Amino acid sequence: MTIPVRPEGSTMSDSGNSLFATALDQFNRGADLIDLSDDLRSILSQPKNEIIVNFPVRLNNGSYRVFRGYRIQHSNLLGPYKGGVRFHPMVDLDEVKALASWMTWKSALCDIPFGGAKGGISFDPNGLEPDELERVVRRFTHALGSNIGPDHDIPAPDLGSNSQSMVWMMDTYSNSMGATERQNVKRIVTGKTLETGGSPGREKATGQGVVFCLQHWADEVDFDLAGATVSIQGFGNVGSATARIMQVHGARVVAVSDHAGAVADEDGIDAFELTDWVRERGTVAGFPGGMWIEPDDFWAVPADIVIPAALENQITAGNAGQIQAKVIVEAANGPTTLQAEKILAQREIDVLPDILVNAGGVVVSYFEWLQNRSAQRWNLDDVDFKLRETLWKACDAVVDLRDELDVTSRRDAAYAVALRRLQVVYGQRGIFP
Ligand code: GLU
């Protein structure tokens, strides 16, 4: 998979705020809605642990390169720390802190017994040979050591990592255990291949969850998804799965863009053919089944549903005014800047927030973890059924609280649902000692 290249400094939002500052702004809006105490605000405003590891790896030319890896553990109040590991040259502490906090809110919102964490290594995995990449992943796992664990902190795939990376992590961790423990630690990571203990439906889970949340929204606002037009930014795991599932539901994908190009076709781009094209070439650029357009023109393509499924800070004050959609569905984490969100609100474009719509990945990760714990294999229908049930409950909770609190922002309502759950548990457990 080719990794989108983020221009230098673009983790900064329109106002120059860091991504973690954006995450805190969102958190504080939700906290205001439920009158979260100052004590809980300051506890949840920082991750519990920030782990940085620098580790050397031998390259095939005989030299050694030192890599910097991160694991940020934001909260374990509701369960073990949980979240992906991102392999991308722009990974830094600020980004991973924001992503880790979003994991806490996602799990709380979906009412699954996990906390929030995120990790990453700042490098371009496409710049390495497969055996070099394997050594990087294994050495990173070794460097994290007992900072991760099957009931303590459970990594998963994210941008730039995949099921193979998870298998290497699992195998490395397992080999560091005593012989009698080895079979018992498969759930140290989720998002593994099916053959090594992964769950049916995990690969497409985030995209599947995006579509379940869209169905819930469509039902609420009385919109017909069959025949709807969709544009998607990013065609990696999440964007491509979302496109294929939307197409199966009768929607038309009218524009797709990625780091190297963009295509559009008002009659619809075949998501399955585009998936094959991207699998071979690493980008949508040059795809013959649509018109090539300038990436800058992508946001202005008329579509009922706009789905950012790539990096953060993509919908900005600069392009939010061009979007002609009924709804923006945040399949990516943090794709909308604070300023863009205000513009979209003024223009009465609905935003389905990331912590709700892209939570399908971590929900099916929870199912994988449960299956590993009980040495079971569920079937795909069961996984999809339980995923839909979990996400629709979360969607119901957001809509109900939005109406109860009389707010318009679904993001603010989603934070309020998540934070209320944490508030209740803190209230009962208290703060040690
Ligand atoms: N990386 C995904 C996310 O951002 C999945 C995390 C997981 O499954 O733990 O939600």
Side-chain angles (χ1 to χ4, degrees):
M1 178 192 150
T2 304
I3 307 303
V5 177
R6 178 169 41 213
E8 197 71 39
S10 72
T11 47
M12 297 296 160
S13 67
D14 298 323
S15 60
N17 278 344
S18 73
L19 195 65
F20 189 57
T22 299
L24 280 181
D25 188 286
Q26 296 169 344
F27 161 74
N28 279 316
R29 278 171 9 220
D32 289 345
L33 281 179
I34 61 156
D35 293 323
L36 194 70
S37 70
D38 288 346
D39 289 339
L40 292 189
R41 269 184 212 243
S42 49
I43 292 171
L44 290 168
S45 291
Q46 287 297 331
K48 274 197 146 178
N49 304 309
E50 301 178 18
I51 300 149
I52 300 183
V53 289
N54 296 303
F55 55 94
V57 174
R58 184 173 40 79
L59 302 180
N60 287 345
N61 65 10
S63 70
Y64 283 82
R65 179 170 153 196
V66 177
F67 291 81
R68 172 162 294 188
Y70 301 86
R71 188 68 184 170
I72 304 303
Q73 299 171 330
H74 178 261
S75 169
N76 62 351
L77 184 77
L78 302 181
Y81 299 112
K82 183 80 189 85
V85 284
R86 178 170 287 203
F87 299 161
H88 191 282
M90 296 299 289
V91 163
D92 64 16
L93 184 60
D94 176 77
E95 179 189 46
V96 188
K97 277 169 70 176
L99 292 164
S101 70
W102 285 328
M103 290 309 304
T104 300
W105 320 138
K106 262 183 234 187
S107 296
L109 174 56
C110 293
D111 210 7
I112 56 173
F114 280 154
K118 202 79 169 204
I121 309 175
S122 38
F123 80 119
D124 177 4
N126 294 308
L128 295 184
E129 296 297 328
D131 56 333
E132 293 174 323
L133 180 60
E134 176 174 351
R135 289 197 289 278
V136 171
V137 175
R138 287 185 182 276
R139 185 67 200 243
F140 175 54
T141 312
H142 178 78
L144 289 176
S146 57
N147 288 302
I148 57 172
D151 295 306
H152 172 57
D153 183 355
I154 305 138
D158 195 72
L159 196 77
S161 57
N162 56 25
S163 56
Q164 177 62 74
S165 335
M166 294 307 109
V167 179
W168 288 329
M169 288 189 85
M170 185 262 281
D171 186 72
T172 307
Y173 188 86
S174 161
N175 275 295
S176 69
M177 295 283 111
T180 56
E181 278 306 301
R182 280 188 194 156
Q183 299 305 326
N184 205 19
V185 295
K186 272 194 182 153
R187 64 186 190 283
I188 175 64
V189 289
T190 57
K192 300 178 289 292
T193 59
L194 271 181
E195 296 78 8
T196 60
S199 175
R202 176 61 186 84
E203 186 102 18
K204 63 155 185 160
T206 308
Q208 183 67 68
V210 168
V211 177
F212 285 148
C213 291
L214 252 173
Q215 287 174 333
H216 191 279
W217 169 86
D219 195 46
E220 182 203 333
V221 303
D222 202 14
F223 177 83
D224 196 357
L225 287 183
T229 51
V230 187
S231 68
I232 302 184
Q233 189 209 29
F235 211 73
N237 171 293
V238 179
S240 65
T242 305
R244 293 191 301 273
I245 300 168
M246 288 299 287
Q247 184 171 315
V248 170
H249 284 283
R252 241 177 325 131
V253 179
V254 292
V256 178
S257 79
D258 70 9
H259 63 287
V263 279
D265 189 339
E266 61 182 33
D267 293 330
I269 294 164
D270 189 295
F272 291 86
E273 283 175 18
L274 185 58
T275 300
D276 291 340
W277 176 272
V278 172
R279 209 167 270 149
E280 269 173 36
R281 294 172 177 79
T283 169
V284 304
F287 179 62
M291 262 175 27
W292 308 348
I293 58 167
E294 287 298 322
D296 284 349
D297 296 336
F298 167 79
W299 298 108
V301 174
D304 301 317
I305 302 163
V306 169
I307 308 183
L311 287 164
E312 49 266 12
N313 290 335
Q314 299 300 301
I315 301 181
T316 63
N319 58 32
Q322 299 166 18
I323 293 176
Q324 309 166 50
K326 292 187 172 50
V327 65
I328 289 172
V329 186
E330 295 185 332
N333 289 307
T336 312
T337 67
L338 298 173
Q339 288 83 346
E341 189 163 23
K342 285 188 189 131
I343 296 169
L344 297 171
Q346 278 158 10
R347 299 186 57 220
E348 293 183 6
I349 297 176
D350 243 336
V351 176
L352 306 191
D354 46 9
I355 60 167
L356 176 65
V357 295
N358 73 31
V362 71
V363 170
V364 178
S365 277
Y366 170 52
F367 299 158
E368 179 174 331
W369 186 78
L370 283 178
Q371 289 169 72
N372 292 165
R373 240 168 96 125
S374 53
Q376 287 180 24
R377 162 74 49 84
W378 301 359
N379 65 46
L380 180 59
D381 287 346
D382 288 343
V383 170
D384 281 347
F385 180 84
K386 285 178 202 288
L387 172 62
R388 189 177 60 198
E389 193 180 40
T390 307
L391 289 178
W392 281 4
K393 261 193 199 158
C395 292
D396 282 342
V398 171
V399 170
D400 289 350
L401 197 56
R402 180 199 62 188
D403 295 345
E404 183 192 320
L405 298 172
D406 198 19
V407 292
T408 48
S409 160
R410 287 168 197 266
R411 188 186 319 280
D412 293 355
Y415 272 76
V417 173
L419 291 175
R420 254 197 188 167
R421 293 200 172 126
L422 290 152
Q423 187 182 39
V424 168
V425 175
Y426 266 119
Q428 293 175 5
R429 287 179 64 158
I431 292 160
F432 177 82

